[in-house]
Each structure stands twice: as structure tokens, then as C-alpha cells.
């Protein structure tokens, strides 16, 4: 019993140390966001918060026009996350319940292969395609290229495979068509997976920097990650790190809110998988 308690204490100590290591950069960014211009360059650095957070946030909001940028990021992230869920569910439904079409496994393998291609490899052809469509510097270019999701298709396909085939047969005997079966049977079973995928994809798109930087040409179409970069001064001037960190804290808030909203659904998805 004593050995078990000792091991448990050791595990908690290690986890506490790792938590401090992971959370310290976030804490220091918050502290920096509360400092004045003079204190942000003080040495040794300050590790306790001050009282300039609201002032720094106002300056960051005004300097980088964070309101417009945060709206762009939120709009793009929500649209892409919802579209990924819709297309992933439809693709997984087709691969699971329509097994008669030829080349099913070939097409599914091709979908999985696309997941292995990193974004930089696809930048040039995707940009050329957006230019051909005349979508450069539009919301179409910021959203449509991300609609397909190999991860989401695999996630929902694996879920649908766990649904007994007798349930689909019973629905077919009762006169329910494929879309009705999807709407009334499969979608209610997929709520936790939809919540988990929405949270993952929202955070992924919210943090996207490279593609919006390439495909947008006007300040009105920029996203919040580019706005943080815009807060950096030129090489001839010293950077206002307190203002930059205040902008960073504001950029962190929407993903944090989404995490709090979908935390229960996200964890229920993992608990259901463990039970299975």
C-alpha cells in the first residue's frame, strides 16, 4: 500500500512539473500583457502581473484593427469546421453503406493519401486554382480549399462501421431511405464525434497563418494571426511586447471559449471509444 501511494505521489509530481513547463509561456505572455512599456523591457524580467492589461488590449485592438481580423478568423473557422463535418459525414456514409460502387477502397485510399501531403506542398497548385477561379482575396479562397477532410472521413467511417447492419436493414424494411436513416439514426449517434471534430478543426483553422498570408492582399481580409505579426514594429523601432502579448491574449480567447463549450462533448467522445 505504501509503495502504491509513493508511486502515485511521484506521478503527481511529474505531472505537476510538466504542467508548469507547458503553462509557463502562457502565464508569462499574460504577465507581459499587463506591463507598461518601460516594465516590459526591465531586467531582470517581471513575473508578477501589473495593471495595464486593458490599456494594452485597447492599443492592440486599435493598432491592428483586431475587431475585423477576429471576425474574419471566426467566420472562416466556423464555416470550415461545419463544412468539414458535413462533407466528412456524407463521404463516410457513402463508403460504409454504399458498398456496390467500383473502386470504393481505391477512392478511400486516395482520400487517406491526401492527408499525408503537408500544406506547403499544396500551396502553389491551390493558389493557381484560386487564381483561375478569381477567388484571390475572397472568403471562398480562405474556406473552400479546406472543406475536405481525410481525418473526418476516417473518424465517421470508423464510427458507422460499429453500427449494427441489422439496424440499417430494419430501417430499410420500415421504408426509410438512405438519407432518412442518416438523419434519424446515424446523426444522433455522431453528436460527440461532431463536437470533437468541430473543436479540432476550429482550432486548426483559427491558428492558420501561411495560407491567409498568401491568398489575401488587403488588410480587410487578413486574419488575427497576421494581425499579431502586424503589431511588430519595424526593424528601426523597438517592439512593444506588452501590446503584442495583449493581442496574443485576445487571439487565444475564442479557441479557449470553444474548448470550454465543447469540452464535455469532446471528453464524452473519448469515453465512448474506451467503452467500446
Amino acid at each position: 500500500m505504501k509503495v502504491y501511494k509513493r508511486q502515485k505521489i511521484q506521478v503527481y509530481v511529474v505531472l505537476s512539473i510538466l504542467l508548469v513547463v507547458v503553462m509557463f509561456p502562457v502565464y508569462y505572455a499574460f504577465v507581459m500583457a499587463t506591463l507598461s512599456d518601460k516594465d516590459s523591457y526591465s531586467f531582470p524580467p517581471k513575473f508578477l502581473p501589473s495593471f495595464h492589461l486593458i490599456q494594452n488590449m485597447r492599443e492592440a485592438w486599435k493598432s491592428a484593427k483586431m475587431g475585423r481580423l477576429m471576425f474574419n478568423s471566426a467566420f472562416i473557422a466556423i464555416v470550415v469546421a461545419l463544412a468539414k463535418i458535413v462533407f466528412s459525414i456524407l463521404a463516410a456514409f457513402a463508403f460504409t453503406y454504399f458498398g456496390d460502387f467500383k473502386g470504393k477502397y481505391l477512392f478511400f485510399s486516395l482520400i487517406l493519401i491526401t492527408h499525408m501531403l503537408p500544406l506547403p506542398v499544396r500551396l502553389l497548385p491551390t493558389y493557381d486554382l484560386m487564381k483561375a477561379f478569381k477567388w484571390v482575396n475572397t472568403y471562398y479562397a480562405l474556406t473552400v480549399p479546406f472543406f475536405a477532410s481525410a481525418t473526418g472521413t476516417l473518424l465517421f467511417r470508423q464510427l458507422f462501421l460499429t453500427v449494427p447492419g441489422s439496424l440499417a436493414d430494419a430501417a430499410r424494411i420500415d421504408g426509410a431511405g438512405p438519407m432518412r436513416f442518416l438523419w434519424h439514426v446515424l446523426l444522433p449517434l455522431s453528436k460527440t464525434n461532431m463536437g470533437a471534430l468541430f473543436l479540432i478543426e476550429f482550432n486548426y483553422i483559427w491558428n492558420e497563418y501561411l495560407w491567409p498570408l498568401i491568398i489575401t492582399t488587403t488588410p480587410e481580409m487578413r486574419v488575427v494571426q497576421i494581425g499579431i505579426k502586424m503589431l511588430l514594429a519595424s526593424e528601426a523601432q523597438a517592439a512593444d511586447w506588452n501590446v503584442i502579448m495583449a493581442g496574443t491574449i485576445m487571439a487565444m480567447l475564442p479557441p479557449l471559449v470553444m474548448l470550454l463549450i465543447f469540452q464535455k462533448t469532446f471528453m464524452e467522445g473519448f469515453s465512448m471509444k474506451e467503452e467500446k
Side-chain angles (χ1 to χ4, degrees), residues 46-140:
K46 297 182 180 296
F47 293 100
L48 294 178
S50 185
F51 307 98
H52 301 274
L53 178 62
I54 303 300
Q55 177 184 347
N56 294 334
M57 282 188 169
R58 287 177 179 173
E59 186 173 349
W61 186 276
K62 182 179 179 181
S63 300
K65 299 180 180 179
M66 295 290 286
R68 174 69 182 188
L69 303 183
M70 293 185 73
F71 169 79
N72 290 341
S73 293
F75 175 78
I76 295 166
I78 292 174
V79 170
V80 171
L82 293 177
K84 279 179 177 285
I85 292 174
V86 172
F87 285 109
S88 297
I89 288 176
L90 292 177
F93 182 62
F95 283 118
T96 306
Y97 292 97
F98 293 89
D100 297 333
F101 68 91
K102 296 181 179 180
K104 180 180 72 170
Y105 295 104
L106 174 62
F107 287 124
F108 185 70
S109 300
L110 292 176
I111 291 176
L112 295 181
I113 289 174
T114 61
H115 187 62
M116 303 176 186
L117 297 175
L119 179 61
V121 176
R122 296 173 284 158
L123 281 179
L124 184 58
T126 305
Y127 182 85
D128 290 339
L129 186 62
M130 296 298 103
K131 187 176 180 181
F133 288 163
K134 297 181 180 180
W135 284 358
V136 175
N137 199 45
T138 65
Y139 286 117
Y140 295 111

Side-chain angles (χ1 to χ4, degrees), residues 143-220:
T143 56
V144 174
F146 295 95
F147 279 0
S149 174
T151 303
T153 303
L154 178 63
L155 175 68
F156 287 108
R157 179 180 179 271
Q158 295 305 113
L159 173 65
F160 294 163
L161 288 175
T162 63
V163 178
S166 57
L167 194 61
D169 296 335
R172 193 179 302 109
I173 293 174
D174 290 339
M179 298 308 297
R180 187 176 180 184
F181 174 70
L182 172 65
W183 184 263
H184 292 284
V185 178
L186 295 181
L187 289 186
L189 296 175
S190 308
K191 288 183 179 179
T192 55
N193 294 70
M194 287 190 287
L197 184 63
F198 182 89
L199 179 61
I200 293 172
E201 297 299 342
F202 180 90
N203 289 332
Y204 170 73
I205 298 299
W206 180 272
N207 294 320
E208 188 62 41
Y209 173 80
L210 184 58
W211 177 248
L213 180 65
I214 294 174
I215 203 64
T216 57
T217 58
T218 60
E220 292 75 15

Side-chain angles (χ1 to χ4, degrees), residues 63 94 255 265 274:
S63 300
T265 304
E274 291 178 358

Side-chain angles (χ1 to χ4, degrees), residues 249-260:
I249 294 298
M250 287 190 291
M252 292 170 55
L253 291 179
L256 180 60
V257 171
M258 287 296 176
L259 177 61
L260 296 176

